[in-house]
Amino acid sequence: MTHLACSIIVPTFNERANMEPLVDRIAAAMGSAPFELIIVDDDSPDRTWEVVEALAVTRPWLRAYRRVGKRGLASAVIDGFSLARGANLICMDGDLQHDPQIIPQLLRALDEADVAVASRYTTGGTTGTWGGVRLWGSRLATSAAQRLLSVATTDPMSGFFALRRPVFIATASALKPRGFKILMALLHRAPTARVADVPFSFGIRVHGNSKLDSGVLLDYLAELWDLRFGERLSSTFVKYAMVGLSGVGVQLLALHLLRMIPALRTGESGWASALAILIAILWNYTFDNRWTFSAQRHRNLGPWLVGLSRFTLVCSTGAFISWSVGQGLRLVTHGMMNIYFASLFGIAVATVWNFTLNRRITWTEP
Ligand code: GDD
Ligand code: MN
């Protein structure tokens, strides 16, 4: 199979107004070098793909790939790389924040390296107009990635990079399409790849909006966790346990507040603790649905309620197991084991049980 010199992959979502200048600037930057440009658009409501199709009529090197029923930056890039025919692959944003004039430098860097990164943090690079929280968050994310994974670039978060085709071929099946830090995952899976940084200044977005919101930081930490520790302990379980722990706090707080209501104080506060448990269940379900299992999230009222009843059922069996384990431990140790210690064991076993069942029953994998 003969390869083109280079394939440029651009993931897009609602970037209609940016397409014509992007395509023109890439063509100008490439000059007479042969290349193909694949725009991977996730069926944007603003019909970005349609604009690209129109532009492609007079540009044989341009293709629009309209992905229907799929959403996600990393998975778009992986799909684009898979379609690409170039010996070198390039990934860049479609909102003009990545200056196409850097492309020839990235390609030249590939003479000596396997991966070339357009870096904001190497000498000569800048983060553009970013300030405050975003800059701080980005720095934090970068140093966390460098410490936890051995990634040999100053900017593992960059969305602008080039690589030799074999690097993608070798790592593709290990890449998680759910993530969005595709470069970080790639470098982690290709530890022997030679990496070169090319200084780059992040541009300003003129049209449209960024799709990366503040939730992205939490998702990023989860992704980092999975790359580093995922084989031993999945981030989904860590999230589940964190929500569970917060639920304990909520239950105790609710109990405290409910006991201030005179009517609930009678009967040894049995009603207050029952209500507090219900509140904690609702709390846990809401956050597990939105965060822990966000990929399988129940959005409409019907499925949401079905999920809630399954969750409640599962957690009730968990409570029974928790109680049994605690009692059992006391029994076999002839009451020698501290009751709190025994309960802690019970809670740990029940957490694993609840997690396993909820993942299979309440939030079934799509
Ligand atoms: N196909 C597809 N599907 N494309 C998407 C999706 C999606 O779900 N979400 C975003 N994109 C496209 C956007 O249309 C844009 O072309 C590109 O991906 C980057 O998205 P932005 O929303 O502009 O991201 P950003 O500017 O906030 O973040 C950029 O800089 C970060 C560095 O701090 C990206 O390059 C990040 O990857 C990078 O980490
Ligand atoms: Mn952007």
Side-chain angles (χ1 to χ4, degrees), residues 185-262:
L186 250 163
L187 292 177
H188 179 63
R189 297 294 173 197
T192 57
R194 296 163 303 164
V195 183
D197 284 354
V198 171
F200 151 75
S201 290
F202 203 70
I204 308 167
R205 189 187 252 280
V206 181
H207 303 287
N209 308 312
S210 169
K211 279 89 209 170
L212 307 186
D213 52 18
S214 53
V216 141
L217 188 67
L218 280 178
D219 289 346
Y220 163 74
L221 291 175
E223 195 173 332
L224 197 59
W225 178 284
D226 274 335
L227 286 176
R228 184 69 177 76
F229 310 110
E231 268 135 47
R232 272 164 282 165
L233 197 58
S234 83
S235 66
T236 316
F237 179 75
V238 175
K239 289 178 182 173
Y240 186 82
M242 278 164 68
V243 171
L245 204 62
S246 74
V248 174
V250 167
Q251 186 176 331
L252 294 180
L253 185 72
L255 181 64
H256 179 71
L257 294 176
L258 288 166
R259 275 175 42 88
M260 291 178 174
I261 304 170

Side-chain angles (χ1 to χ4, degrees), residues 15 93 95 97-98 134 202 205 209-211:
E15 302 289 3
D93 289 354
D95 57 359
Q97 290 190 286
H98 291 164
R134 179 142 192 198
F202 203 70
R205 189 187 252 280
N209 308 312
S210 169
K211 279 89 209 170

